[in-house]
């Protein structure tokens, strides 16, 4: 049995916030943001929560495929900004779309979350245990950002995107994969601590907003991620040139420049849309995938070889080389 991605969809809040809009509420400017990150705009929720964005994606996947929601076996949502811990965002989506026979859970791997969740979903199907599932990356990062910290507030955006999978594949969905974690370096990208305030303990963590050691994360991305991609390519017996497109986490356009150079691959193969969405964490890779299908860059006809690579909090990073 082989899993196959049969549908992709994305949804972002309507509210567009430009670099100039941000320069009116914090000490920054379009030139600095665009030259250092490649970001021009980001979509910021005006009240929609993560499950609302994820539900809109799931509804599109179901409507566009015509699948009966009662035939969906599982829903996995990759997010670090859930509406709540209980119920999970995936459980909320399950209720909203009427997937009454689906088990549902969230997966936390920050900006690697979609790749980690897709790897898991592929095993659920290719093992023969289940037939159909939905994998969504969804974030409302605007609710965890420290809006007084211009070094991070300008980088992130809100959004959701995902894929519908079934067992109709005639070839493996994942040709090769390699997922990694280094918890020792996790302190350089933090969010959403929960204090321990009880009759028996009093432990509070300074700031539960996002905090990032930008230089450390940038260097981690440039140093560790190309090695991971190369190691995954070696596992796949494919040369870098045989990959049609590289869909990397949309954190920073200068990082994509460096990746292309390190891998000796033309920059054009590294698709990008952070100019419009900023860094949407777990949603960034699936938004890029869904938009690329919608814009006709490639289709889901099984003829395209794509590298998906996430990297971020944990620290986590990972690549899946897939047949689309
Ligand atoms: O001064 C400059 O040029 C600054 C230097 C710091 N920058 C950074 C640093 C790290 C990230 C980042 C964030 C995540 C979290 O999702 C994951 C992966 C990455 Cl690589 C994005 N931008 C912006 C430009």
């Amino acid at each position: 049995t082989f899993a196959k991605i049969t549908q992709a969809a994305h949804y972002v809040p309507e509210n567009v916030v430009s670099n100039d809009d941000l320069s009116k509420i914090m000490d920054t400017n379009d030139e600095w943001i665009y030259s250092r990150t490649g970001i021009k705009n980001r979509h910021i929720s005006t009240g929609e929560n993560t499950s609302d964005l994820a539900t809109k994606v799931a509804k599109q996947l179901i409507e566009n495929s015509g699948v009966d929601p009662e035939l969906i076996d599982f829903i996995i949502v990759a997010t670090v900004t859930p509406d709540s811990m209980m119920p999970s965002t995936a459980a909320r989506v399950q209720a909203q779309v009427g997937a009454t026979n689906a088990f549902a859970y969230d997966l936390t791997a920050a900006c690697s979350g979609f790749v980690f969740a897709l790897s898991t979903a592929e095993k659920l199907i290719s093992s023969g245990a289940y037939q159909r599932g939905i994998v969504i990356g969804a974030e409302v990062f605007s609710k965890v950002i420290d809006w007084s910290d211009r070094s991070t507030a300008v980088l992130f955006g809100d959004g959701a995107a995902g894929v519908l999978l079934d067992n109709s594949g005639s070839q493996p969905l994942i040709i090769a994969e390699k997922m990694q974690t280094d918890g020792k370096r996790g302190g350089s990208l933090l969010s959403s601590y929960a204090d321990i305030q009880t009759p028996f303990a009093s432990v509070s963590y300074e700031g539960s907003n996002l905090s990032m050691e930008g230089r450390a994360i940038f260097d981690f991305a440039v140093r560790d991620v190309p090695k991971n991609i190369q190691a995954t390519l070696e596992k796949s017996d494919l040369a870098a040139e045989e990959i049609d497109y590289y869909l990397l986490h949309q954190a920073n356009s200068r990082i994509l420049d460096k990746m292309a150079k390190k891998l000796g691959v033309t920059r054009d193969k590294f698709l990008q849309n952070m100019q419009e969405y900023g860094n949407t964490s777990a949603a960034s890779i699936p938004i890029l995938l869904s938009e690329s299908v919608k814009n006709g860059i490639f289709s889901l006809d099984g003829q395209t070889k794509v590298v998906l690579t996430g990297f971020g909090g944990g620290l986590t990073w990972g690549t899946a080389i897939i047949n689309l």
Side-chain angles (χ1 to χ4, degrees), residues 48 205 231 261:
E48 292 170 297
Y205 300 88
K261 278 204 190 76

Side-chain angles (χ1 to χ4, degrees), residues 32 36-37 111 155-156 189 212 214 217-218 221 249 251-252 254-255 279 311-312:
W32 188 94
R36 309 294 286 255
T37 69
C111 314
L155 303 179
F156 294 93
L189 195 42
M212 177 175 78
I217 300 296
F218 199 100
H249 171 45
N252 184 292
R254 291 190 293 130
I255 285 184
N279 175 344
F311 46 95

Side-chain angles (χ1 to χ4, degrees), residues 7-39:
Q7 290 288 335
H10 63 279
Y11 174 79
V12 293
E14 255 170 60
N15 176 37
V16 178
V17 175
S18 68
N19 293 346
D20 288 336
D21 293 334
L22 289 179
S23 66
K24 297 186 182 82
I25 57 172
M26 64 184 75
D27 180 14
T28 187
N29 64 69
D30 176 48
E31 197 281 325
W32 188 94
I33 298 170
Y34 187 64
S35 63
R36 309 294 286 255
T37 69
I39 298 166

Side-chain angles (χ1 to χ4, degrees), residues 11-13 48-57 139-140 158-160:
Y11 174 79
V12 293
E48 292 170 297
N49 212 329
T50 307
S51 66
D52 299 311
L53 309 188
T55 295
K56 292 203 169 162
V57 170
E139 307 285 9
V140 174
D158 301 340

Side-chain angles (χ1 to χ4, degrees), residues 19-243:
N19 293 346
D20 288 336
D21 293 334
L22 289 179
S23 66
K24 297 186 182 82
I25 57 172
M26 64 184 75
D27 180 14
T28 187
N29 64 69
D30 176 48
E31 197 281 325
W32 188 94
I33 298 170
Y34 187 64
S35 63
R36 309 294 286 255
T37 69
I39 298 166
K40 293 293 280 182
N41 296 309
R42 71 285 290 147
H43 293 241
I44 301 295
S45 169
T46 54
E48 292 170 297
N49 212 329
T50 307
S51 66
D52 299 311
L53 309 188
T55 295
K56 292 203 169 162
V57 170
K59 283 186 170 167
Q60 289 177 68
L61 294 171
I62 288 166
E63 272 153 36
N64 298 347
S65 64
V67 74
D68 173 352
E70 300 201 345
L71 294 178
I72 295 167
D73 295 312
F74 61 84
I75 299 174
I76 304 172
V77 173
T79 185
V80 290
T81 56
D83 300 32
S84 62
M85 293 310 287
M86 286 193 298
S88 67
T89 298
R92 294 172 185 271
V93 171
Q94 189 253 8
Q96 290 296 316
V97 301
T100 49
N101 296 312
F103 61 94
Y105 60 97
D106 291 357
L107 181 149
T108 304
C111 314
S112 308
F114 182 76
V115 173
F116 284 31
L118 186 67
S119 169
T120 304
E122 193 252 359
K123 310 297 177 291
L124 291 174
I125 289 176
S126 60
S127 67
Y130 301 100
Q131 287 73 46
R132 248 179 227 88
I134 286 177
V135 176
I136 293 173
E139 307 285 9
V140 174
F141 237 85
S142 54
K143 67 186 179 184
V144 299
I145 288 167
D146 174 355
W147 285 95
S148 69
D149 173 8
R150 67 180 179 175
S151 70
T152 52
V154 304
L155 303 179
F156 294 93
D158 301 340
V163 294
L164 176 68
L165 298 127
D166 70 18
N167 62 355
S168 67
S170 54
Q171 60 184 352
L173 169 61
I174 298 182
I175 301 166
E177 63 183 38
K178 183 176 177 67
M179 295 171 283
Q180 301 181 252
T181 297
D182 180 6
K184 287 198 302 299
R185 289 184 280 171
S188 49
L189 195 42
L190 302 169
S191 84
S192 309
Y193 267 97
D195 290 351
I196 306 172
Q197 297 298 345
T198 76
F200 313 100
S202 172
V203 181
S204 58
Y205 300 88
E206 82 283 345
S208 84
N209 290 124
L210 179 92
S211 77
M212 177 175 78
E213 289 169 17
R215 191 77 260 152
I217 300 296
F218 199 100
D219 292 345
F220 144 70
V222 173
R223 189 181 311 118
D224 293 322
V225 174
K227 283 184 212 155
N228 171 273
I229 295 173
Q230 278 164 337
T232 316
L233 282 166
E234 278 155 36
K235 283 174 87 173
S236 74
D237 289 333
L238 290 169
E241 301 70 47
E242 294 177 83
I243 301 299

